[in-house]
């Protein structure tokens, strides 16, 4: 744009509030992502990159917000926020390598474009499911608040993403907990091809702030000085007066959702209207108008940035294609962790299953000052099963936190806490309710270390199981959903001693752990339990009985059913294996037993099809077939939801069928 062209956007700000270096810095920070994008569009047409999500026309938002935040403050961008990455001075060759799936990127070729994070630059990239980002920001901000470090974090989404339930949950949590988060909505007119009038029915998304009891503002997202000055004032105040703020940036997406989708669905007059409001061109005209930017400066800046782009592209293009190595791939699914044994002491007390869990959790809270517990009704009330009863007095409400009824946002918040250096234990009030938090568990917690080396130091406690007359929605045991997901560990103890020691180990482990606790065992099973803090290794089964006639493999309540049946039929020559941990699975113990006995029966409480018994059966067939003297038997609950009435529930559960199947197998 020539110096004679007047800007369409009016930069009517007090000139004294902006020195020349700040004004020019903002210009160069917007120019850089624009020139990178223009180059990427050329490379896309040349087939040298595979996909591109353009942010042309939205640079002022990314650049303005990032310029205001300190480098130590986390920022959670989306795929149209290139200006965040360039403003944090990430070396361009690393970005280019990331986009080409090469080793010098941030994900070792495992994720694309902007789907990555980096602790070095305090950036937490998105997952495609959009909504969890807000919850992750909640967790990071909670960590900042607990550290009392006066930091703010900023998180982005588009207007389309605000239709997701996770967004509502996270905004509500942030308001209730008064978390210092800038929630930034880039309202660019379209969610892919769907216009705003088909996404929501309020005039402005910022109006929703009132419903959350949250401060909110509308900002011209194409006016870099308005973005910078308003956000700067807010951030400076939020550091001293922590609170969430909802910002709606009015802007427009000038290209397709991604290049392949195009913009044919957008009326041309709308494209022309917003084209005239281009943030970079208008700001350039303004700076020329006030005499601090010349045509020569523009040419020089462009030449400098283009040279940097080309130099770094050469580095990225010359880098070798990443080599596929199965060992490295499987190793990086989990954060490496060296188990440290703390031996159980000699002083013991008889404890119920529920009390052993409570004591183990309490001792872990004492051991880890950075451990936070979250869940519904867990504070003053002590949880519906009273496991955290009295914890408020011992550890305070900052570390023992009641949550709104919003499983997904709290799982995501736990992820955010982990990013910010905390451990967390989340209590699902009932394991059945995990479906409401399923997405961030299997897509965020489970995948983050594999994707960008960020562990999810989270334990999710799962009160579960039938036999207590609780019906279809308070009785499920759904461990198979999670044993199927690489990146998660799954623990399922059957005894108080194991529950206490395994819970301590799960909390020590920096990887995400689903910790199943059978409700029917809470107050029915007692055992002598060491009073001291101790650990037990994950991935190691317990052989409760030894014999030659048959191998019984089970876990949870199934262990007690098996013990009862063995007494009833007076069978003393059986290997009874309590798996204790389902992922990792102790195949060594399983195979050794099968090779000894030649007969196997696997008992699970869950319904048969797709359950862990099927996988164990397959592994035995593949690895121990020559040792088998009879077909492998699997016993499970009926293929129905869990009924409420006592006689129906008894029929549903597999205990009686297990007795018959075991007797048949022994007679085979």
């Amino acid at each position: 744009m020539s110096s004679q062209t007047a800007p369409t956007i009016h930069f009517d700000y007090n000139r004294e509030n902006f020195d020349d270096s700040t004004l020019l810095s903002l210009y160069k920070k917007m120019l850089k992502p624009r020139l990178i994008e223009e180059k990427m569009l050329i490379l896309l047409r040349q087939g040298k990159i595979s996909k591109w999500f353009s942010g042309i026309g939205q640079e002022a938002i990314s650049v303005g917000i990032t310029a205001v935040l300190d480098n130590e403050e986390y920022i959670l961008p989306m795929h149209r926020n290139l200006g965040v990455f360039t403003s944090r001075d990430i070396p361009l060759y690393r970005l280019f390598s990331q986009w080409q799936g090469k080793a010098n990127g941030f994900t070792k070729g495992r994720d694309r474009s902007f789907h990555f994070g980096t602790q070095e630059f305090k950036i937490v990239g998105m997952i495609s499911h959009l909504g969890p980002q807000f919850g992750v920001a909640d967790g990071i901000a909670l960590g900042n608040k607990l550290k009392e470090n006066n930091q703010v974090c900023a998180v982005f989404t588009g207007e389309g993403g605000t239709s997701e339930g996770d967004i509502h949950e996270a905004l509500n949590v942030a308001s209730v907990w008064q978390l210092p988060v800038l929630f930034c909505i880039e309202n660019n007119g379209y969610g892919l091809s769907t216009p705003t009038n088909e996404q929501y029915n309020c005039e402005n998304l910022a109006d929703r702030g009132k419903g959350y009891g949250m401060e909110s503002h509308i900002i011209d997202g194409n006016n870099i000085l308005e973005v910078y000055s308003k956000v700067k004032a807010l951030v400076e105040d939020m550091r001293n007066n922590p609170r969430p703020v909802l910002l709606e940036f009015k802007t427009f997406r000038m290209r397709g959702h991604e290049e392949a989708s195009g913009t044919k669905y957008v009326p041309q007059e709308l494209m022309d209207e917003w084209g005239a409001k281009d943030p970079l061109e208008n700001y350039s005209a303004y700076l020329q108008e006030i005499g601090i930017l010349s045509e020569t400066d523009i040419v020089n800046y462009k030449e400098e940035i283009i040279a940097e782009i080309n130099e770094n592209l050469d580095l990225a293009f010359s880098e070798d294609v990443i080599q596929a190595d199965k060992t490295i791939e499987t190793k990086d699914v989990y954060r490496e962790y060296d188990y440290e044994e703390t031996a159980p002491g000699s002083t013991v007390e008889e404890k119920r299953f529920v009390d052993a869990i409570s004591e183990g959790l309490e001792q872990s809270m004492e051991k880890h000052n950075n451990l936070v517990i979250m869940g519904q009704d867990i504070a003053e009330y002590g949880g519906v099963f009273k496991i955290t009863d009295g914890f408020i007095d011992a550890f305070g409400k900052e570390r023992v936190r009641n949550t709104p009824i919003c499983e997904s946002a709290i799982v995501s918040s736990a992820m955010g806490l982990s990013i910010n250096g905390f451990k967390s234990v989340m209590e699902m009030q009932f394991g059945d309710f995990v479906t409401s938090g399923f997405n961030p568990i299997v897509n965020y917690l489970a995948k983050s270390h594999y994707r960008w080396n960020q562990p999810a130091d989270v334990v999710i406690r799962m009160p579960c199981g039938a036999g207590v007359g609780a019906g279809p929605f308070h009785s499920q045991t759904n461990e198979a959903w999670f044993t199927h997901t690489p990146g998660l560990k799954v623990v399922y103890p059957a005894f108080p001693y194991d529950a206490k020691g395994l819970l301590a180990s799960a909390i020590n482990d920096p990887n995400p752990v689903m910790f199943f606790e059978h409700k029917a065992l809470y107050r029915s099973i007692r055992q002598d339990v060491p009073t001291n803090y101790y650990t037990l290794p994950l991935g190691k089964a317990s052989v409760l009985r030894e014999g030659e006639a048959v191998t019984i493999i089970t876990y949870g309540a199934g262990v007690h059913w098996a013990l009862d049946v063995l007494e009833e039929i007076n069978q003393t020559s059986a290997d009874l294996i309590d798996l204790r941990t389902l992922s990792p699975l102790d195949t060594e113990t399983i195979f050794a037993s099968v090779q000894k006995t030649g007969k196997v029966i696997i008992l699970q409480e869950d319904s048969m099809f797709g359950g862990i018994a099927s996988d164990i059966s397959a592994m035995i067939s593949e690895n121990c077939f020559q040792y088998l003297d009879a077909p492998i038997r699997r016993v499970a609950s009926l293929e129905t939801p869990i009924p409420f009435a006592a006689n129906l529930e008894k029929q549903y559960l597999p205990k009686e069928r297990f007795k018959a199947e075991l007797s048949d197998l022994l007679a085979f």
Side-chain angles (χ1 to χ4, degrees):
M1 180 176 286
S2 71
S3 58
Q4 284 75 37
T5 305
T8 303
I9 297 171
H10 299 290
F11 299 95
D12 50 350
Y13 289 87
N14 189 336
R15 179 70 177 80
E16 296 177 357
N17 292 334
F18 300 94
D19 57 46
D20 289 359
S21 63
T22 299
L23 292 171
L24 288 173
S25 173
L26 291 173
Y27 171 73
K28 287 187 282 187
K29 285 181 176 179
M30 281 203 294
L31 181 62
K32 190 171 189 175
R34 175 67 63 90
L35 293 176
I36 292 172
E37 287 221 38
E38 289 175 353
K39 183 67 174 180
M40 292 303 114
L41 294 175
I42 293 170
L43 295 177
L44 185 68
R45 289 192 291 272
Q46 294 175 343
K48 294 181 179 179
I49 60 173
S50 61
K51 191 177 281 284
W52 187 254
F53 296 87
S54 177
I56 288 177
Q58 299 181 209
E59 295 94 343
I61 304 169
S62 299
V63 168
I65 292 171
T66 310
V68 164
L69 294 180
D70 293 337
N71 285 338
E72 292 305 307
E73 291 179 308
Y74 284 96
I75 188 164
L76 292 79
M78 302 293 280
H79 50 276
R80 243 175 276 288
N81 299 123
L82 175 58
V84 169
F85 297 85
T86 55
S87 295
R88 282 276 164 100
D89 294 324
I90 291 179
L92 292 188
Y93 78 90
R94 294 204 66 191
L95 279 178
F96 299 158
S97 291
Q98 170 66 25
W99 300 340
Q100 294 179 60
K102 293 185 175 180
N104 276 325
F106 294 88
T107 65
K108 299 183 181 179
R110 294 165 183 162
D111 214 335
R112 63 185 191 178
S113 61
F114 299 103
H115 291 227
F116 71 90
T118 160
Q119 284 284 5
E120 180 182 358
F121 297 98
K122 293 293 185 285
I123 291 175
V124 180
M126 60 179 288
I127 67 169
S128 295
H129 300 71
L130 304 181
Q133 280 290 83
F134 272 33
V136 174
D138 282 353
I140 292 172
L142 175 58
N144 288 337
K145 198 169 182 180
L146 293 175
K147 291 178 180 179
E148 299 180 343
N149 61 12
N150 300 111
Q151 289 184 0
V152 170
C153 79
V155 59
F156 289 76
T157 196
E159 83 290 334
T162 64
S163 298
E164 292 203 333
D166 291 67
I167 298 288
H168 160 73
E169 290 187 14
L171 289 170
N172 186 53
V173 169
S175 181
V176 171
W177 288 353
Q178 285 296 284
L179 300 175
V181 185
L182 273 176
F183 293 105
C184 305
I185 302 170
E186 295 180 288
N187 191 339
N188 63 17
Y190 288 84
L192 207 155
S193 69
T194 305
T196 55
N197 66 330
E198 296 179 22
Q199 286 283 357
Y200 56 86
N201 200 32
C202 54
E203 183 177 357
N204 300 297
L205 290 168
D207 296 340
R208 295 181 181 179
K210 185 177 294 185
Y212 295 112
M214 184 185 300
E215 179 182 346
S216 63
H217 303 272
I218 297 172
I219 295 176
D220 181 353
N222 285 32
N223 185 330
I224 182 62
L225 295 187
E226 182 173 336
V227 173
Y228 179 83
S229 60
K230 289 188 176 181
V231 173
K232 186 173 188 290
L234 284 167
V235 166
E236 288 173 351
D237 191 54
M238 289 168 66
R239 289 178 182 136
N240 296 313
N241 303 289
R243 67 190 187 278
V245 176
L246 178 63
L247 301 178
E248 180 181 5
F249 295 92
K250 300 288 190 178
T251 185
F252 196 76
R253 172 162 53 77
M254 296 303 297
R255 303 192 69 86
H257 170 73
E258 39 79 36
E259 287 304 305
S261 64
T263 58
K264 289 183 178 179
Y265 47 84
V266 183
Q268 186 58 47
E269 58 269 23
L270 202 54
M271 296 292 291
D272 294 341
E273 176 187 342
W274 281 95
K277 297 178 182 178
D278 183 282
L280 180 61
E281 295 297 328
N282 277 273
Y283 188 54
S284 173
Y286 169 70
L287 295 182
Q288 292 177 74
E289 187 179 83
I290 64 176
I292 68 169
L293 182 70
S294 68
E295 292 284 1
T296 301
D297 293 330
I298 294 172
V299 171
N300 290 338
Y301 291 150
K302 285 185 176 180
E303 288 180 349
E304 178 185 332
I305 294 170
I306 289 170
E308 181 187 2
I309 292 170
N310 290 333
E311 179 184 346
N312 282 269
L313 274 173
D314 288 343
L315 288 173
F317 282 135
S318 64
E319 187 181 345
D320 291 337
V321 174
I322 201 162
Q323 297 300 305
D325 186 313
K326 189 184 298 182
T327 301
I328 292 174
E329 288 298 287
T330 54
K331 177 176 175 288
D332 283 353
V333 172
Y334 297 95
R335 170 60 60 93
E336 197 167 316
Y337 168 63
D338 293 325
Y339 167 71
E340 294 183 9
E341 182 177 5
T342 301
S346 57
T347 302
V348 300
E349 291 180 1
E350 186 181 69
K351 291 188 181 297
R352 300 175 300 178
F353 192 91
V354 68
D355 300 323
I357 291 172
S358 179
E359 185 173 80
L361 186 56
E362 182 177 19
Q363 290 175 351
S364 287
M365 287 286 282
E366 292 167 350
K367 178 179 174 63
H368 301 287
N369 290 329
N370 66 335
L371 175 59
V372 177
I373 307 175
M374 300 182 289
Q376 296 160 28
D377 304 296
I378 68 164
E380 290 85 356
Y381 189 66
V384 294
F385 299 106
K386 301 303 177 185
I387 283 174
T388 53
D389 193 21
F391 279 33
I392 279 285
D393 295 333
F395 306 109
K397 285 206 70 164
E398 292 300 307
R399 293 181 63 202
V400 183
R401 306 187 71 88
N402 278 337
T403 72
I405 301 176
C406 55
E407 289 78 8
S408 192
I410 301 306
V411 173
S412 297
S413 295
M415 182 72 230
L417 279 170
S418 182
I419 290 169
N420 207 359
F422 287 81
K423 291 178 173 289
S424 61
V425 172
M426 179 198 173
E427 178 183 302
M428 286 286 170
Q429 194 169 73
F430 290 86
D432 312 63
F433 301 163
V434 74
T435 48
S436 295
F438 193 74
N439 176 36
I441 292 173
V442 300
N443 283 316
Y444 218 126
L445 270 61
K447 295 177 172 61
S448 65
H449 188 266
Y450 175 76
R451 289 171 56 239
W452 58 281
N453 200 39
Q454 173 59 53
D457 200 345
V458 179
V459 175
I460 299 181
R461 291 185 41 247
M462 297 279 288
C464 65
V468 292
F473 305 117
H474 293 78
S475 304
Q476 296 173 83
T477 176
N478 43 35
E479 65 279 357
W481 293 346
F482 305 104
T483 55
H484 181 69
T485 304
L488 299 176
K489 296 187 177 183
V490 181
V491 179
Y492 205 142
F495 292 96
Y497 172 85
D498 292 337
K500 180 180 174 181
L502 290 170
L503 180 58
S505 295
I507 292 169
N508 290 342
D509 195 315
N511 296 286
V513 180
M514 307 298 293
F515 196 90
F516 285 80
E517 306 164 8
H518 202 292
K519 303 187 303 294
L521 305 182
Y522 271 159
R523 291 170 170 81
S524 65
I525 300 300
R526 295 174 178 268
Q527 190 180 32
D528 284 343
V529 177
T531 57
N532 70 310
Y533 173 91
Y534 64 92
T535 61
L536 295 172
L538 305 189
K540 184 63 179 173
S542 175
V543 181
L544 300 178
R545 290 195 179 185
E546 295 189 44
E548 304 290 333
V550 67
T551 296
I552 302 169
I553 303 169
T554 187
Y555 55 95
V559 173
H560 300 281
W561 299 335
L563 286 168
D564 290 345
V565 168
L566 288 174
E567 290 295 325
E568 289 175 21
I569 66 174
N570 196 29
Q571 175 54 249
T572 59
S573 184
D575 266 9
L576 175 56
I577 299 175
D578 174 7
L579 293 174
R580 301 198 297 186
T581 304
L582 307 183
S583 179
L585 185 66
D586 185 359
T587 54
E588 182 180 347
T589 295
I590 293 171
F591 296 161
S593 177
V594 172
Q595 290 169 16
K596 179 179 68 172
T597 67
K599 293 182 178 180
V600 188
I601 186 168
I602 308 163
L603 171 62
Q604 68 181 37
E605 181 177 335
D606 196 7
S607 297
M608 180 77 78
F609 192 81
I612 194 170
S614 300
D615 278 300
I616 294 173
S617 175
M619 285 190 288
I620 292 170
S621 295
E622 291 166 359
N623 292 276
C624 302
F625 183 78
Q626 66 270 36
Y627 297 96
L628 293 175
D629 298 325
I632 300 169
R633 303 292 181 96
R634 296 174 297 146
V635 185
S637 293
L638 297 180
E639 300 290 329
T640 70
I642 303 167
F644 159 66
N647 60 332
L648 297 180
E649 186 177 41
K650 182 179 179 181
Q651 174 184 254
Y652 167 84
L653 291 170
K655 183 177 179 180
E656 292 303 317
R657 290 188 296 281
F658 171 73
K659 181 179 178 180
E661 290 284 348
L662 177 60
S663 298
D664 286 348
L665 179 60
L666 288 168
F668 186 88

